[in-house]
Short mmCIF file of all heavy atoms in Angstrom, two decimals:
data_model
loop_
_atom_site.label_atom_id
_atom_site.label_comp_id
_atom_site.label_asym_id
_atom_site.label_seq_id
_atom_site.Cartn_x
_atom_site.Cartn_y
_atom_site.Cartn_z
N ARG A 1481 -36.09 4.65 -63.82
CA ARG A 1481 -37.42 5.10 -63.45
C ARG A 1481 -38.35 3.90 -63.46
O ARG A 1481 -38.28 3.06 -64.34
CB ARG A 1481 -37.91 6.14 -64.46
CG ARG A 1481 -39.29 6.63 -64.19
CD ARG A 1481 -39.67 7.67 -65.21
NE ARG A 1481 -41.09 7.96 -65.11
CZ ARG A 1481 -41.66 8.93 -65.77
NH1 ARG A 1481 -40.97 9.71 -66.57
NH2 ARG A 1481 -42.95 9.14 -65.63
N ARG A 1482 -39.19 3.83 -62.42
CA ARG A 1482 -40.19 2.76 -62.33
C ARG A 1482 -41.51 3.39 -61.92
O ARG A 1482 -41.53 4.36 -61.16
CB ARG A 1482 -39.81 1.72 -61.27
CG ARG A 1482 -38.59 0.92 -61.61
CD ARG A 1482 -38.28 -0.07 -60.54
NE ARG A 1482 -38.08 0.67 -59.27
CZ ARG A 1482 -38.07 0.10 -58.09
NH1 ARG A 1482 -38.25 -1.18 -57.97
NH2 ARG A 1482 -37.89 0.81 -57.00
N ASN A 1483 -42.59 2.84 -62.39
CA ASN A 1483 -43.91 3.30 -62.01
C ASN A 1483 -44.68 2.15 -61.37
O ASN A 1483 -44.52 1.00 -61.78
CB ASN A 1483 -44.69 3.81 -63.23
CG ASN A 1483 -44.09 5.07 -63.79
OD1 ASN A 1483 -43.75 5.97 -63.06
ND2 ASN A 1483 -43.95 5.12 -65.10
N GLN A 1484 -45.49 2.48 -60.40
CA GLN A 1484 -46.36 1.51 -59.76
C GLN A 1484 -47.72 2.15 -59.56
O GLN A 1484 -47.81 3.35 -59.27
CB GLN A 1484 -45.83 1.10 -58.38
CG GLN A 1484 -44.60 0.28 -58.38
CD GLN A 1484 -44.21 -0.04 -56.94
OE1 GLN A 1484 -44.12 0.84 -56.10
NE2 GLN A 1484 -43.96 -1.30 -56.68
N LEU A 1485 -48.74 1.34 -59.68
CA LEU A 1485 -50.08 1.75 -59.26
C LEU A 1485 -50.31 1.05 -57.93
O LEU A 1485 -50.22 -0.18 -57.84
CB LEU A 1485 -51.13 1.33 -60.29
CG LEU A 1485 -52.56 1.66 -59.92
CD1 LEU A 1485 -52.76 3.16 -59.80
CD2 LEU A 1485 -53.51 1.09 -60.94
N LEU A 1486 -50.57 1.83 -56.89
CA LEU A 1486 -50.68 1.29 -55.54
C LEU A 1486 -52.11 1.37 -55.03
O LEU A 1486 -52.83 2.31 -55.35
CB LEU A 1486 -49.78 2.07 -54.57
CG LEU A 1486 -48.31 2.14 -54.92
CD1 LEU A 1486 -47.59 3.06 -53.96
CD2 LEU A 1486 -47.68 0.76 -54.92
N LEU A 1487 -52.48 0.39 -54.23
CA LEU A 1487 -53.75 0.41 -53.51
C LEU A 1487 -53.44 0.42 -52.02
O LEU A 1487 -52.42 -0.10 -51.57
CB LEU A 1487 -54.59 -0.82 -53.86
CG LEU A 1487 -55.05 -0.92 -55.31
CD1 LEU A 1487 -55.80 -2.22 -55.54
CD2 LEU A 1487 -55.92 0.27 -55.68
N GLU A 1488 -54.34 1.02 -51.26
CA GLU A 1488 -54.16 1.12 -49.82
C GLU A 1488 -54.69 -0.13 -49.12
O GLU A 1488 -55.74 -0.65 -49.47
CB GLU A 1488 -54.91 2.35 -49.32
CG GLU A 1488 -54.75 2.60 -47.86
CD GLU A 1488 -55.55 3.81 -47.42
OE1 GLU A 1488 -56.29 4.38 -48.22
OE2 GLU A 1488 -55.42 4.17 -46.24
N PHE A 1489 -53.96 -0.59 -48.13
CA PHE A 1489 -54.46 -1.68 -47.29
C PHE A 1489 -55.67 -1.19 -46.51
O PHE A 1489 -55.66 -0.09 -45.96
CB PHE A 1489 -53.39 -2.17 -46.31
CG PHE A 1489 -52.35 -3.04 -46.92
CD1 PHE A 1489 -51.06 -2.58 -47.10
CD2 PHE A 1489 -52.66 -4.34 -47.32
CE1 PHE A 1489 -50.09 -3.39 -47.66
CE2 PHE A 1489 -51.70 -5.16 -47.87
CZ PHE A 1489 -50.41 -4.68 -48.05
N SER A 1490 -56.69 -1.99 -46.43
CA SER A 1490 -57.93 -1.59 -45.75
C SER A 1490 -57.75 -1.47 -44.25
O SER A 1490 -58.51 -0.77 -43.59
CB SER A 1490 -59.05 -2.58 -46.07
OG SER A 1490 -58.70 -3.87 -45.59
N PHE A 1491 -56.76 -2.12 -43.67
CA PHE A 1491 -56.59 -2.10 -42.22
C PHE A 1491 -55.79 -0.90 -41.73
O PHE A 1491 -55.67 -0.69 -40.54
CB PHE A 1491 -55.95 -3.40 -41.71
CG PHE A 1491 -54.68 -3.79 -42.40
CD1 PHE A 1491 -53.47 -3.21 -42.06
CD2 PHE A 1491 -54.70 -4.75 -43.40
CE1 PHE A 1491 -52.30 -3.58 -42.69
CE2 PHE A 1491 -53.53 -5.13 -44.03
CZ PHE A 1491 -52.33 -4.55 -43.68
N TRP A 1492 -55.22 -0.10 -42.63
CA TRP A 1492 -54.53 1.12 -42.23
C TRP A 1492 -55.53 2.25 -42.15
O TRP A 1492 -56.55 2.25 -42.84
CB TRP A 1492 -53.45 1.49 -43.24
CG TRP A 1492 -52.19 0.70 -43.10
CD1 TRP A 1492 -52.05 -0.63 -43.35
CD2 TRP A 1492 -50.92 1.17 -42.70
NE1 TRP A 1492 -50.76 -1.02 -43.13
CE2 TRP A 1492 -50.04 0.07 -42.74
CE3 TRP A 1492 -50.44 2.41 -42.33
CZ2 TRP A 1492 -48.71 0.18 -42.40
CZ3 TRP A 1492 -49.10 2.52 -42.00
CH2 TRP A 1492 -48.24 1.41 -42.03
N ASN A 1493 -55.20 3.25 -41.35
CA ASN A 1493 -56.02 4.45 -41.32
C ASN A 1493 -55.95 5.15 -42.67
O ASN A 1493 -54.96 5.04 -43.38
CB ASN A 1493 -55.54 5.42 -40.24
CG ASN A 1493 -55.74 4.88 -38.85
OD1 ASN A 1493 -56.59 4.02 -38.63
ND2 ASN A 1493 -54.97 5.38 -37.91
N GLU A 1494 -56.99 5.90 -42.98
CA GLU A 1494 -56.97 6.74 -44.17
C GLU A 1494 -55.88 7.80 -44.01
O GLU A 1494 -55.80 8.45 -42.98
CB GLU A 1494 -58.34 7.42 -44.32
CG GLU A 1494 -58.52 8.20 -45.60
CD GLU A 1494 -58.78 7.30 -46.79
OE1 GLU A 1494 -59.19 6.15 -46.61
OE2 GLU A 1494 -58.55 7.79 -47.91
N PRO A 1495 -55.00 7.98 -45.01
CA PRO A 1495 -53.96 9.02 -44.88
C PRO A 1495 -54.59 10.40 -44.67
O PRO A 1495 -55.53 10.76 -45.37
CB PRO A 1495 -53.22 8.96 -46.21
CG PRO A 1495 -53.47 7.59 -46.73
CD PRO A 1495 -54.86 7.23 -46.25
N GLN A 1496 -54.07 11.12 -43.69
CA GLN A 1496 -54.57 12.44 -43.36
C GLN A 1496 -53.43 13.45 -43.44
O GLN A 1496 -52.28 13.10 -43.16
CB GLN A 1496 -55.15 12.46 -41.94
CG GLN A 1496 -56.30 11.52 -41.71
CD GLN A 1496 -57.54 11.94 -42.49
OE1 GLN A 1496 -57.83 13.11 -42.63
NE2 GLN A 1496 -58.27 10.96 -43.00
N PRO A 1497 -53.74 14.70 -43.77
CA PRO A 1497 -52.69 15.73 -43.73
C PRO A 1497 -52.12 15.84 -42.31
O PRO A 1497 -52.85 15.69 -41.33
CB PRO A 1497 -53.43 17.01 -44.11
CG PRO A 1497 -54.67 16.55 -44.81
CD PRO A 1497 -55.02 15.22 -44.22
N ARG A 1498 -50.85 16.09 -42.22
CA ARG A 1498 -50.16 16.17 -40.93
C ARG A 1498 -49.76 17.60 -40.63
O ARG A 1498 -49.33 18.32 -41.52
CB ARG A 1498 -48.89 15.31 -40.94
CG ARG A 1498 -49.11 13.87 -41.33
CD ARG A 1498 -49.75 13.13 -40.21
NE ARG A 1498 -50.21 11.83 -40.67
CZ ARG A 1498 -50.26 10.77 -39.92
NH1 ARG A 1498 -49.88 10.84 -38.68
NH2 ARG A 1498 -50.72 9.65 -40.38
N GLN A 1499 -49.87 17.98 -39.36
CA GLN A 1499 -49.30 19.24 -38.93
C GLN A 1499 -47.79 19.06 -38.93
O GLN A 1499 -47.28 18.08 -38.42
CB GLN A 1499 -49.80 19.61 -37.53
CG GLN A 1499 -51.28 19.88 -37.45
CD GLN A 1499 -51.67 21.12 -38.25
OE1 GLN A 1499 -50.94 22.10 -38.28
NE2 GLN A 1499 -52.81 21.06 -38.90
N GLY A 1500 -47.07 19.97 -39.46
CA GLY A 1500 -45.64 19.79 -39.59
C GLY A 1500 -44.87 20.84 -38.84
O GLY A 1500 -45.47 21.61 -38.09
N PRO A 1501 -43.60 20.84 -38.98
CA PRO A 1501 -42.85 20.00 -39.91
C PRO A 1501 -42.67 18.59 -39.36
O PRO A 1501 -42.66 18.39 -38.15
CB PRO A 1501 -41.50 20.71 -40.01
CG PRO A 1501 -41.34 21.40 -38.69
CD PRO A 1501 -42.75 21.77 -38.25
N ASN A 1502 -42.57 17.64 -40.26
CA ASN A 1502 -42.35 16.24 -39.91
C ASN A 1502 -41.23 15.69 -40.77
O ASN A 1502 -40.87 16.26 -41.78
CB ASN A 1502 -43.61 15.41 -40.18
CG ASN A 1502 -44.73 15.75 -39.25
OD1 ASN A 1502 -44.60 15.64 -38.04
ND2 ASN A 1502 -45.85 16.18 -39.81
N ILE A 1503 -40.71 14.55 -40.33
CA ILE A 1503 -39.89 13.75 -41.23
C ILE A 1503 -40.73 12.53 -41.58
O ILE A 1503 -41.53 12.05 -40.77
CB ILE A 1503 -38.53 13.35 -40.61
CG1 ILE A 1503 -38.72 12.49 -39.37
CG2 ILE A 1503 -37.69 14.57 -40.31
CD1 ILE A 1503 -37.44 11.83 -38.91
N TYR A 1504 -40.58 12.07 -42.80
CA TYR A 1504 -41.35 10.93 -43.28
C TYR A 1504 -40.40 9.81 -43.63
O TYR A 1504 -39.34 10.04 -44.20
CB TYR A 1504 -42.19 11.32 -44.50
CG TYR A 1504 -43.30 12.27 -44.15
CD1 TYR A 1504 -43.10 13.64 -44.15
CD2 TYR A 1504 -44.55 11.78 -43.78
CE1 TYR A 1504 -44.13 14.51 -43.80
CE2 TYR A 1504 -45.57 12.63 -43.43
CZ TYR A 1504 -45.35 14.01 -43.44
OH TYR A 1504 -46.36 14.86 -43.09
#
Side-chain angles (χ1 to χ4, degrees):
R1481 178 179 169 172
R1482 293 180 302 165
N1483 292 315
Q1484 290 180 309
L1485 177 63
L1486 304 174
L1487 295 177
E1488 183 181 5
F1489 282 109
S1490 62
F1491 52 81
W1492 281 67
N1493 293 337
E1494 187 77 20
Q1496 300 292 323
R1498 305 285 168 149
Q1499 294 295 322
N1502 291 301
I1503 61 168
Y1504 291 88

